[in-house]
Amino acid sequence: MNENDLHEQLARSTAWTEDLTVDPAGDLARGRRRLRRRRATVGAGSAFAVALVATGGSLATAHWGGSTDPAGVAGQVQVERYGPGGKVEIRSDGSYVIQPTPGGPSYTCSSRGQAFTAPGGAPSNTMESNHLDVFASYADPDRRHLVGRETSGVTPTKTGPCGHPGSAGARSDWSEAGGVGWVEITVIPKAVHEQPNDGGIPHPRADTCGLTDDRSTFTACWVTTTADGKQVRVGTRGKQAYWASYVRPDGQLAIATVEGDGRRSDPGTFGGAEPATQNPVAEPSVTLAELIATVTDPSLETAG
Amino acid sequence: MLGSQRRDQEFSEYVAARRSRLVGTAYLLCGDRHLAEDLVQTALAKLYVAWPRIRRSDGADAYVRRILVNAGIDASRRPWRREQAAGDVPEQPVDEGLGLEDRDELMTALSTLAAGQRRVIVLRFWLGLSVEETAADLQITVGTVKSQSSKALQNLRGQLADSRLAALMEDAS
């Protein structure tokens, strides 16, 4: 068998695909759902959603309380888009107006509690959570590594047009051996992490080596059981990145991640394949055991 | 035309033109039609999200290819891969261009290859990428592509020859 024979055989083995009915509408619908979910997840990651607003990104889900505002709004509009038919106007003060249907009522959603100021340009939040403290108690009690930029937040669950599934989380630089990576601890509600994906599989996906999605760059994943019987999913990318996730008794998903190169590959919605730091930490000294202890710690704050 | 409309239109045109080929590629990578369909669905959904960025760089093919190549073989080998109830599996038509036994023979031979070798085979001999393009896609060296390609071909030859020999012996007995 030469190379031409092989190509021929491969072509014959896949000849059946030529008879497949191609319906772009199905893929289009799945793509739109994924886009909506991604934007919704942006909203769910409270501390990080605001960073997106600040950079002019889109935010499809309402995230804060608000009131009906048929008369429209004043203020500078930064972004204007919202799913098929509707629109959202994000204003310079961080609030925004949602009009779910063309010509229908508009709802003004305030940005209460999202006053981020940024040391070094990173977002921070006035609504602090205890996530970094819990993590530090296991992984960095002397706070030698959790230095640099940090952000945390707890966004309560709200219902109504400006509603959102609440979430709580924190992120911090992880400084070690002259490099800078990052750490993230998040607790997200059941309604978010169990959203089915395009194939109808609830998150966290059991068939991918990722936390909440399948775009992860993590390369090894498995389930481990703690001494007191808690099942925790963990993943690694070499010695540079680790995560642990645990579905708490209340159904919320606790996630702890450390990445020496800050790729933000999972979780999160801004995951890029490229390192986010010019000076990565080759091997963060955080252990999986410390991440597992963090995510199974019942004192981690939730959005209620 | 609004940005979203443009995205939808361009994406739909891309899907119409490429989907069958992508399913074939995924199938060769994972060896399972249903999983191949799943992989393509996921890859296209990701592509839709990334479309504005990908379109500008004219890299849709490479983007989807990378997703399939990275996910395909791993997915088929994961122990936690979900199982389908027998009742959910539709009937599979027998290929007209290739007997079922022959097709299985090739796919069986492919399944014996190491993941890296299988990727190289699909990229090089199915998608027709050059050695350099394959190396870039898989983020390995040109030398590695060549050596894996050579080993993979050698393994396939051995597998297919063994299979045919066994069939002949069975017929003769």
Side-chain angles (χ1 to χ4, degrees), chain A residues 253-264:
Chain A
L253 179 69
I255 299 167
T257 306
V258 58
E259 286 189 292
D261 55 2
R263 287 176 191 265
R264 299 182 182 180

Side-chain angles (χ1 to χ4, degrees), chain B residues 66-168:
Chain B
R66 275 196 288 272
I67 294 173
L68 292 181
V69 167
N70 288 331
I73 294 176
D74 293 342
S76 66
R77 291 180 172 176
R78 283 186 188 125
W80 55 61
R81 177 185 158 203
R82 72 187 189 283
E83 294 179 359
Q84 292 179 305
D88 294 334
V89 181
E91 289 184 14
Q92 297 187 10
V94 175
D95 299 328
E96 291 179 3
L98 188 66
L100 188 59
E101 290 167 5
D102 289 339
R103 190 198 64 222
D104 284 348
E105 184 186 50
L106 176 64
M107 296 308 292
T108 301
L110 274 177
S111 71
T112 64
L113 298 181
Q117 292 179 12
R118 188 166 179 170
R119 289 183 178 117
V120 168
I121 287 291
V122 174
L123 290 180
R124 292 274 291 117
F125 303 112
W126 168 240
L127 295 178
L129 268 58
S130 69
V131 172
E132 291 76 16
E133 289 169 330
T134 303
D137 249 37
L138 299 179
Q139 297 185 322
I140 57 180
T141 66
V142 167
T144 303
V145 172
K146 288 178 179 173
S147 65
Q148 290 204 336
S149 180
S150 171
K151 286 176 188 168
L153 285 171
Q154 192 177 351
N155 289 340
L156 282 179
R157 286 187 191 108
Q159 285 289 330
L160 294 173
D162 288 348
S163 172
R164 286 185 177 135
L165 181 62
L168 284 173

Side-chain angles (χ1 to χ4, degrees), chain A residues 33-41 44 188-216 233 243 245-248 251-255 266-269, chain B residues 42 45-46:
Chain A
R33 278 203 302 274
R34 192 181 188 92
L35 187 60
R36 281 199 298 273
R37 196 173 61 244
R38 171 158 291 199
R39 289 172 174 165
T41 310
I188 57 178
K190 191 174 181 178
V192 173
H193 78 76
E194 287 196 344
Q195 280 184 353
N197 68 1
D198 300 322
I201 310 166
H203 288 147
R205 289 189 60 153
D207 63 338
T208 62
C209 188
L211 265 167
T212 58
D213 213 329
D214 50 8
R215 61 184 175 71
S216 171
R233 289 188 72 213
W243 60 256
S245 71
Y246 170 61
V247 179
R248 297 156 50 101
Q252 303 213 40
L253 179 69
I255 299 167
D266 203 349
T269 54
Chain B
T42 302
K46 288 180 176 180

Side-chain angles (χ1 to χ4, degrees), chain A residues 53 55-59 76-81 88-91:
Chain A
V53 173
T55 56
S58 65
L59 191 61
Q76 184 183 353
V77 174
Q78 293 182 318
V79 179
E80 186 171 339
R81 50 182 163 166
V88 59
E89 297 175 351
I90 300 177
R91 301 183 297 187

Side-chain angles (χ1 to χ4, degrees), chain A residues 1 7 13 27 32 206 214, chain B residues 8 19 42 46 80 125 157:
Chain A
M1 181 182 62
H7 178 77
S13 288
D27 291 306
R32 285 172 173 164
D214 50 8
Chain B
D8 289 358
R19 199 177 202 291
T42 302
K46 288 180 176 180
W80 55 61
F125 303 112
R157 286 187 191 108

Side-chain angles (χ1 to χ4, degrees), chain A residues 97-117:
Chain A
V97 181
I98 294 176
Q99 189 175 31
T101 55
S106 297
Y107 303 90
T108 300
C109 304
S110 68
S111 59
R112 179 167 52 85
Q114 302 295 333
F116 276 62
T117 54

